[in-house]
Amino acid sequence: MCSRRYGIAAILIALIGAANAFSLEIPPLEVSLAASAGIISGNAKEFVYANDNTISELVWPLDPVYALGLDTQFVWGKKLGIAVNVSMGLPRDAGTLTDTDFLNVTVNGSDAKTDYSEHDARLNHLVLIDLAASWTYWLPLRGPASKTSITITPSIGFRYFSLKWTGSDGYGQYTYGKSDWSESLPKTEFSGRVIEYRQRYIAPLAGIAVNLPVGAHFAVEAAVTGSPAVWCDGTDSHMLTKKDYHDYLSGGILLEPRARVSWAPQPTLNIFADCAWTRIFNLRGPTEKTDLTTGNTTAYSKKNGGGAEYTAWTMKLGVKKTFKAAKSSRVHEREEA
């Protein structure tokens, strides 16, 4: 009988504990949507190596690109955040592609230019997707003339970034390594599509942001994002020679400082201006060449393979709207609703 009473008591204690657990408060959720428009200006580079010497450098321009962005963020209790950021560049003429060769560097050590060509470059697409999780720390310090605390927000995430160009028309001046290049060399004219190039980057990210409120409606934010492990898949298609070159690049480094100035005319409405500088470098890897006429594939090691870089400024203006979830702080109350 005594053991039965103890058993009933244990069950009652467990039920009470479960009831209390289901009555725990859930941090309030805020959802924000931001739309932006701006420009991206810079370039991406494609390298070809022979015995670890650069024998070819192609500069693909972004001069400039018009971009649209859409950001979504979920924040619980003003601390835990999950964000998805998407940016897209509008297809357009992007500047002049230049292709410079240094064919004598492996012959006599000369880094003088031997061949040169340039073409009209058109951006076919630009897509950037960032996924990130963050945690905001509210400091016991307020911004200048503000009642709002300064915050520090570390984050971790992942980036996918893809660009593609087409080079058309233009001209080339070639010595094929027989002498140094000069402007007086005869020009070989091109018509129509000559070359296409695509870069696809993937990288884990880590970052930190500091937000400084100023007065009742303004804020200044400084942030930096980086990655020590960037991968890039590069594909170079030559229409005239009917050959494709596929680079498998790794070991890249990403660095991206950013700054934002924002104005909040209302507590849930934010108008902002962003500026960011993105640099991706140190990418190297092997290359596969495919002859589209014969179907034969030739593999090149890293020292005779390819490389890539990306450097650009991004400037944009945008507006952000925040929506607060309905006030319902307990799980069982929401379930009954």
Side-chain angles (χ1 to χ4, degrees):
M1 178 68 71
C2 187
S3 61
R4 182 180 297 177
R5 290 177 180 175
Y6 285 138
I8 294 174
I11 292 173
L12 289 175
I13 292 172
L15 290 174
I16 292 172
N20 287 333
F22 279 100
S23 297
L24 291 177
E25 292 188 358
I26 301 300
L29 170 66
E30 292 183 351
V31 180
S32 63
L33 298 175
S36 61
I39 61 171
I40 301 173
S41 181
N43 62 64
K45 292 184 178 181
E46 174 190 3
F47 300 99
V48 180
Y49 296 95
N51 293 324
D52 288 327
N53 296 293
T54 302
I55 62 169
S56 184
E57 177 184 293
L58 292 85
V59 181
W60 295 87
L62 301 167
D63 219 7
V65 171
Y66 301 125
L68 302 176
L70 182 62
D71 304 339
T72 304
Q73 186 176 35
F74 302 87
V75 178
W76 288 267
K78 296 187 179 296
K79 292 185 177 181
L80 174 63
I82 303 293
V84 181
N85 305 324
V86 179
S87 296
M88 299 184 66
L90 302 181
R92 70 183 303 268
D93 294 339
T96 301
L97 156 67
T98 62
D99 182 354
T100 306
D101 292 343
F102 313 90
L103 299 182
N104 287 329
V105 68
T106 59
V107 178
N108 54 25
S110 172
D111 59 359
K113 183 191 306 184
T114 58
D115 302 334
Y116 175 79
S117 64
E118 63 179 49
H119 312 279
D120 297 330
R122 179 174 179 82
L123 181 73
N124 300 107
H125 78 250
L126 182 153
V127 177
L128 185 148
I129 301 174
D130 278 352
L131 304 175
S134 62
W135 187 271
T136 298
Y137 295 92
W138 295 77
L139 302 184
L141 299 171
R142 296 178 180 178
S146 176
K147 296 181 180 180
T148 305
S149 297
I150 300 170
T151 61
I152 296 178
T153 306
S155 63
I156 56 173
F158 178 84
R159 172 171 295 180
Y160 171 80
F161 185 30
S162 175
L163 310 98
K164 184 178 180 181
W165 297 261
T166 297
S168 303
D169 303 330
Y171 68 89
Q173 295 171 297
Y174 305 102
T175 73
Y176 304 103
K178 296 177 181 179
S179 64
D180 293 347
W181 173 90
S182 70
E183 292 186 2
S184 61
L185 286 171
K187 295 181 178 180
T188 300
E189 302 291 338
F190 297 104
S191 179
R193 294 190 307 159
V194 177
I195 186 172
E196 289 185 348
Y197 182 56
R198 180 173 182 174
Q199 290 182 339
R200 285 179 289 191
Y201 296 95
I202 56 173
L205 300 176
I208 190 167
V210 178
N211 187 277
L212 178 69
V214 179
H217 301 286
F218 290 90
V220 177
E221 181 175 284
V224 62
T225 299
S227 175
V230 182
W231 291 268
C232 178
D233 179 68
T235 304
D236 184 331
S237 299
H238 291 244
M239 281 68 178
L240 300 182
T241 61
K242 299 187 183 303
K243 291 181 174 62
D244 284 354
Y245 297 83
H246 198 159
D247 298 328
Y248 302 91
L249 311 177
S250 60
I253 297 171
L254 181 149
L255 181 64
E256 186 176 80
R258 308 186 308 275
R260 168 175 289 193
V261 177
S262 60
W263 172 55
Q266 301 176 10
T268 61
L269 184 65
N270 194 287
I271 299 170
F272 60 86
D274 277 0
C275 181
W277 180 72
T278 306
R279 171 86 167 132
I280 304 173
F281 61 100
N282 204 48
L283 282 156
R284 288 285 303 273
T287 297
E288 288 184 354
K289 180 181 72 173
T290 301
D291 188 319
L292 300 180
T293 302
T294 64
N296 295 332
T297 297
T298 305
Y300 297 91
S301 64
K302 177 181 176 180
K303 69 176 183 178
N304 297 308
E309 290 185 1
Y310 174 86
T311 307
W313 286 93
T314 300
M315 290 161 282
K316 60 184 180 179
L317 298 174
V319 59
K320 181 173 76 171
K321 176 66 176 177
T322 300
F323 305 89
K324 296 184 178 181
K327 292 183 178 180
S328 179
S329 62
R330 298 181 184 276
V331 172
H332 71 275
E333 291 176 347
R334 289 201 297 271
E335 290 178 343
E336 291 174 356

